[in-house]
Amino acid sequence: MTYKNFTIETDADGIALVTWDMPEKSMNVFTVEVMDEIERIIDQTVSDDGVKGVVFTSGKSTFSGGADLTMIKGMFETIASERASDPEGAMQKIFEAVGRMTWLWRKIETNGKPWVSAINGTCMGGAFELSLACHGRVASNAKSVKIALPEVKVGIFPGAGGTQRVARLANAQDALQMMTTGSSLTAARAKAMNLVHQVVEPGELINAAKQMIKDGLKPVAPWDEKGFKVPGGGIWTPAAAQLWPAASAILRRETAGNYPAALAILKSVYEGLQVPFETGLKIEQRYFTQILQTTEAFSMIRSLFVSMQELGKGARRPAGVAKSEFKKIGVVGAGFMGASIGYVTAAAGIPVVLNDRDMEAAGKGKAVCEGLVAGAVGKGKMSKDDGDKLLALITPSADYATLADADLVIEAVFEDRDVKKAVIEKVEAVLPEGAIFASNTSTLPITGLAENSKRPVDFIGIHFFSPVEKMMLTEVILGKETGDKALAVALDYVAAIRKTPIVVNDTRGFFVNRCVFRYINEAYDMLAEGVPPVMIENAAKFAGMPVGPLSLNDEVAVDLSQKIMKASIADLGEASVKPEHMALINKMVDDLDRRGRKNGKGFYDYPAKPAKKHIWPGLKDLYPQQKPDDVDVKTLQDRFLATIALEAARTVEEGIVTDPREADVGSILGFGFAPYTGGALSYIDGMGVKAFVDLCEKLAASYGDHFQPTPLLKDMAAKGDTFYGRFDPYGTAAKAA
Ligand code: NAD
């Protein structure tokens, strides 16, 4: 029998080696076809008397990334199209579709012959759930092996037996921690948790797996044996009586009740451990069916999986421009940002020149890279050899002539028009024809900067976020005259350094900072209203923001806010900044010297470690305080999310953002906009534009005109539109017409 995605080789001992290697895919993923083939493989190996056992492995460097979530997208379509007419029938269909993988893995577990999973690389989600259903699990000790059930990160949870098997192998606390955070385990950690049986050298993997079968591995899961006991004794023990109330409380603290899938993990484990294994599987299947119908699952999968992948693969890249090969990239300005840009460029294997005013400044930039390498090597994330190779790619220089053969130059000098103008001229004097110039400015419009360029067609913005090594997003900004080649090169570069790009048209603050400043401004308003500062920060976190607005402002630097506000007033007039905001920030910076984390005092105080930062007690003395009981926390939450979402909607209305995927992905990766919403526009679509307009009108009546819904939103509300419908990134409507 032949298979499209698998090969089977049975050796002289009767052990069938099943190797999963999907053609034309860089990574193995579960599709309906793959599951059909696995079912046939089970039937074939069961009926073949010559087969004594099965070793299941991957022919790729990774084991598998789990299910192809576009398969789940198909289920969403079923939900949408059938729920209206036949809600029960639709539910049943989803329940059955969800159970396909669950019961197929159960079929492996109960097939009567021993199966061993040989985990040779990253093994995620459904693939690890398949491994858990095998009777033996051997993992390679290669650094690249990561084991995880990360479903919760996209709004779902391990729904193919994961919640039941992990909780019957590991202790409940570790099991819950692993699944509710979705974090990755090394092979050694998985073994310590009792989730794999053996960890071996990569070259020994298949032999070790076969040996398990030869040693007489029993084809029965522990929970199918008589007298099986859950580790720790299960739910009705004194230890569990301590664990479970704390587990719910911790989950509440970490998620503020915003992630229904995380709660479903707790419920599946808690309920599942009290019943026979197969009943536990049904409980999990039932919760999975429920979770799949939540707005959170729909929006998170769309933004954090589908859209992120599409943008990463160059959804916005102009066709017809040859793919860029980077032989050398120049970074001018080896300061805070430039040094890290140099580092991530070299980490992608591209030679980079770090250019600054003199060799001392350029050397400082390289020293920063050396520090980053030393940190990564120290943490075991990079080998010493790789670190040396990376550093060898970075050449500090004070001579513009070194840029004469660069394909792309990224400017990260002081945020000053005149300094940038001089740099643009000097770089262009040596830069070869056709090479691209990018600015990392955070506030200066690209079109204006491009006026200093002799070739504005080849001029573009690539806006990085700090810390560059960690932040996954880059904002690519098109000036009025930016051409297709510049965009293609910028996107190829962003792909090379493995970050996710969003492409936006030129505007003050671009997309991300426009939204971020709305968030921070709302906090200034709340301070002025006398809302206790701690409530402001906590309300933001309850709304799902990872960092409170005052804390964020401290990180960005309060005096940078002052500079930006003053620049807005100078360029756009007094009305562009609220006088109360300017007064607050002037007081913080000019009178109190509270500039943020960088000088150890801002909205927070930063005492010496190990003490933790805390809100500066004097902050509440700046304004008469409301009583905490008089403040409605839910309204504070709504204000934070609505003011950001409104700004995102304005950028669409102004033609700055043209693709809703970019506003959503940009808002989550750029500043952590409540990920459970799927991003700033999915937040609006999720509740319905009409409901959002109503919310804005209500907020505008109490908190100011900046909440007034825009004409576009009102029009969409009247027509029942959504952002993804009206600004359909796939052009489905246009294609149909
Ligand atoms: P920085 O002051 O740390 O670094 C600027 C560097 O440019 C310094 O090393 C300086 O010596 C060098 N420089 C100045 N004039 C030069 C010239 N004529 N030729 C060569 N080098 C010169 O500043 P930074 O924080 O790294 O910011 C750099 C740029 O990045 C700014 O445009 C800023 O707006 C932007 N940016 C900053 C952040 C951030 O978080 N700091 C985030 C995104 C973008």
Side-chain angles (χ1 to χ4, degrees):
M1 222 178 282
T2 57
Y3 300 91
K4 185 167 156 203
N5 302 293
F6 297 89
T7 54
I8 305 186
E9 282 171 77
T10 306
D11 67 12
D13 296 313
I15 298 174
L17 178 65
V18 175
T19 306
W20 184 12
D21 195 352
M22 295 172 83
E24 292 153 27
K25 289 238 180 217
S26 57
M27 196 191 265
N28 291 325
V29 287
F30 293 111
T31 58
V32 172
E33 182 188 66
V34 166
M35 289 197 286
D36 288 345
E37 292 197 343
I38 291 177
E39 181 129 43
R40 279 170 49 211
I41 290 169
I42 304 171
D43 294 340
Q44 182 196 336
T45 52
V46 166
S47 64
D48 184 343
D49 288 341
V51 173
K52 303 284 173 260
V54 172
V55 170
F56 188 96
T57 195
S58 154
K60 305 214 186 275
S61 60
T62 53
F63 187 87
S64 160
D68 178 357
L69 288 183
T70 42
M71 199 164 75
I72 291 191
K73 223 178 141 205
M75 286 192 215
F76 286 132
E77 276 147 26
T78 311
I79 299 172
S81 65
E82 294 185 20
R83 200 155 56 172
S85 58
D86 178 12
E88 285 225 345
M91 183 92 89
Q92 188 62 35
K93 263 196 189 160
I94 299 161
F95 184 76
E96 277 154 25
V98 162
R100 173 83 205 274
M101 206 183 256
T102 304
W103 299 103
L104 188 55
W105 292 181
R106 181 65 177 152
K107 187 169 168 174
I108 293 174
E109 195 165 53
T110 55
N111 84 91
K113 291 184 182 175
W115 276 51
V116 178
S117 171
I119 302 170
N120 61 316
T122 291
C123 179
M124 299 275 179
F128 188 54
E129 292 182 295
L130 178 148
S131 301
L132 289 167
C134 292
H135 309 97
R137 286 169 291 287
V138 186
S140 140
N141 66 6
K143 266 206 179 121
S144 57
V145 173
K146 287 195 193 106
I147 293 174
L149 294 173
E151 292 86 343
V152 76
K153 291 183 178 169
V154 289
I156 51 176
F157 71 94
T163 64
Q164 300 307 303
R165 292 191 178 91
V166 171
R168 282 170 171 81
L169 289 167
N171 77 58
Q173 191 173 348
D174 288 347
L176 293 178
Q177 160 90 12
M178 174 192 184
M179 291 187 285
T180 55
T181 61
S183 51
S184 292
L185 310 175
T186 59
R189 174 71 187 135
K191 175 146 190 298
M193 279 175 67
N194 198 29
L195 297 179
V196 302
H197 298 95
Q198 283 182 41
V199 177
V200 299
E201 293 294 323
E204 287 301 308
L205 188 68
I206 301 302
N207 278 344
K210 289 186 169 181
Q211 194 59 45
M212 273 186 102
I213 296 175
K214 286 189 229 167
D215 289 345
L217 179 68
K218 215 172 160 188
V220 181
W223 35 90
D224 289 327
E225 300 265 26
K226 255 214 162 104
F228 168 74
K229 285 216 163 51
V230 170
I235 301 296
W236 304 107
T237 61
Q242 295 213 331
L243 170 76
W244 283 94
S248 319
I250 291 169
L251 188 73
R252 182 82 199 170
R253 185 188 67 196
E254 298 300 318
T255 65
N258 290 323
Y259 293 85
L263 187 59
I265 293 171
L266 246 66
K267 290 180 184 173
S268 297
V269 172
Y270 186 80
E271 293 171 28
L273 286 185
Q274 302 181 49
V275 295
F277 181 70
E278 290 203 349
T279 314
L281 288 181
K282 277 188 205 142
I283 289 174
E284 182 193 80
Q285 189 179 351
R286 198 186 61 198
Y287 279 124
F288 199 83
T289 307
Q290 227 175 53
I291 289 301
L292 216 46
Q293 296 175 76
T294 59
T295 308
E296 288 84 350
F298 175 79
S299 304
M300 286 178 84
I301 288 178
R302 179 169 66 187
S303 294
L304 293 169
F305 185 82
V306 181
S307 301
M308 221 155 96
Q309 253 191 11
E310 288 168 353
L311 297 179
K313 282 186 185 159
R316 294 289 311 277
R317 192 184 185 282
V321 182
K323 195 169 178 320
S324 325
E325 300 273 332
F326 295 108
K327 287 190 253 5
K328 188 197 263 186
I329 285 181
V331 177
V332 183
F336 178 68
M337 293 300 284
S340 305
I341 296 170
Y343 173 82
V344 296
T345 307
I350 305 170
V352 52
V353 175
L354 258 189
N355 201 308
D356 210 300
R357 289 177 292 186
D358 49 49
M359 271 313 277
E360 196 191 333
K364 270 193 197 156
K366 174 131 189 196
V368 169
C369 300
E370 286 161 358
L372 290 168
V373 166
V377 172
K379 282 187 197 139
K381 291 190 171 157
M382 191 185 281
S383 70
K384 168 95 180 51
D385 229 31
D386 288 347
D388 290 344
K389 273 188 208 144
L390 189 160
L391 289 172
L393 291 171
I394 304 175
T395 313
S397 162
D399 182 1
Y400 281 90
T402 50
L403 305 175
D405 54 351
D407 310 293
L408 166 70
V409 168
I410 301 165
E411 160 287 298
V413 298
F414 299 140
E415 189 74 339
D416 179 299
R417 279 193 182 95
D418 293 333
V419 174
K420 294 209 191 274
K421 176 174 189 290
V423 166
I424 294 165
E425 287 167 358
K426 280 189 197 155
V427 171
E428 285 190 353
V430 295
L431 200 63
E433 207 46 46
I436 302 302
F437 187 101
S439 173
N440 176 46
T441 176
S442 39
T443 53
L444 303 171
I446 293 300
T447 306
L449 284 179
E451 282 165 11
N452 303 306
S453 166
K454 280 185 291 186
R455 23 184 159 149
V457 176
D458 295 333
F459 196 103
I460 196 161
I462 303 183
H463 182 212
F464 288 84
F465 298 89
S466 154
V468 176
E469 326 73 75
K470 294 208 178 110
M471 294 292 284
M472 291 305 301
L473 187 75
T474 47
E475 213 171 4
V476 173
I477 299 113
L478 301 173
K480 264 212 177 76
E481 297 189 49
T482 303
D484 274 1
K485 167 146 189 225
L487 175 58
V489 169
L491 291 178
D492 290 343
Y493 169 68
V494 173
I497 58 170
R498 287 190 217 95
K499 298 202 185 288
T500 306
I502 59 170
V503 180
V504 302
N505 287 314
D506 206 11
T507 177
R508 179 175 284 269
F510 314 131
F511 171 73
V512 169
N513 284 345
R514 272 182 66 162
C515 293
V516 167
F517 284 111
R518 285 288 176 182
Y519 178 47
I520 291 175
N521 284 350
E522 202 56 32
Y524 297 163
D525 275 354
M526 291 175 187
L527 281 174
E529 290 161 22
V531 176
V534 176
M535 289 186 81
I536 297 176
E537 295 290 89
N538 282 342
K541 287 188 200 143
F542 296 158
M545 301 298 291
V547 182
L550 301 175
S551 175
L552 182 64
N553 202 168
D554 272 4
E555 297 297 330
V556 173
V558 186
D559 56 336
L560 182 65
S561 296
Q562 186 189 39
K563 257 195 196 159
I564 294 171
M565 289 157 95
K566 284 186 173 167
S568 289
I569 292 175
D571 292 355
L572 307 172
E574 289 285 341
S576 63
V577 175
K578 267 193 182 175
E580 312 88 85
H581 294 180
M582 199 68 247
L584 167 66
I585 295 309
N586 284 341
K587 185 167 193 83
M588 290 289 288
V589 177
D590 300 338
D591 301 353
L592 301 163
D593 193 31
R594 302 197 70 92
R595 292 163 191 268
R597 184 192 273 280
K598 66 178 183 185
N599 79 332
K601 45 187 187 165
F603 290 105
Y604 282 72
D605 273 335
Y606 298 87
K609 280 183 177 167
K612 284 190 177 158
K613 72 172 188 179
H614 54 79
I615 294 259
W616 167 49
L619 188 54
K620 62 179 181 330
D621 301 329
L622 297 184
Y623 302 98
Q625 296 291 285
Q626 294 186 46
K627 286 203 201 86
D629 284 351
D630 293 344
V631 179
D632 179 33
V633 176
K634 176 72 174 70
T635 304
L636 300 183
Q637 295 179 32
D638 287 344
R639 287 171 65 180
F640 281 131
L641 298 190
T643 193
I644 297 171
L646 253 170
E647 191 65 15
R650 284 186 201 106
T651 64
V652 174
E653 189 155 5
E654 292 165 23
I656 304 300
V657 168
T658 52
D659 182 329
R661 292 176 295 184
E662 293 180 308
D664 275 344
V665 171
S667 64
I668 296 178
L669 295 188
F671 54 95
F673 184 87
Y676 65 91
T677 62
L681 294 183
S682 283
Y683 164 73
I684 302 177
D685 275 2
M687 77 170 78
V689 179
K690 168 86 175 57
F692 181 69
V693 164
D694 291 347
L695 172 67
C696 290
E697 279 169 348
K698 206 175 92 199
L699 293 174
S702 304
Y703 303 105
D705 277 349
H706 61 291
F707 278 112
Q708 283 299 349
T710 65
L712 170 71
L713 284 164
K714 285 188 185 162
D715 186 58
M716 288 174 68
K719 293 180 175 145
D721 279 352
T722 61
F723 278 96
Y724 280 80
R726 182 145 167 171
F727 302 94
D728 180 3
Y730 306 103
T732 321
K735 265 184 226 147

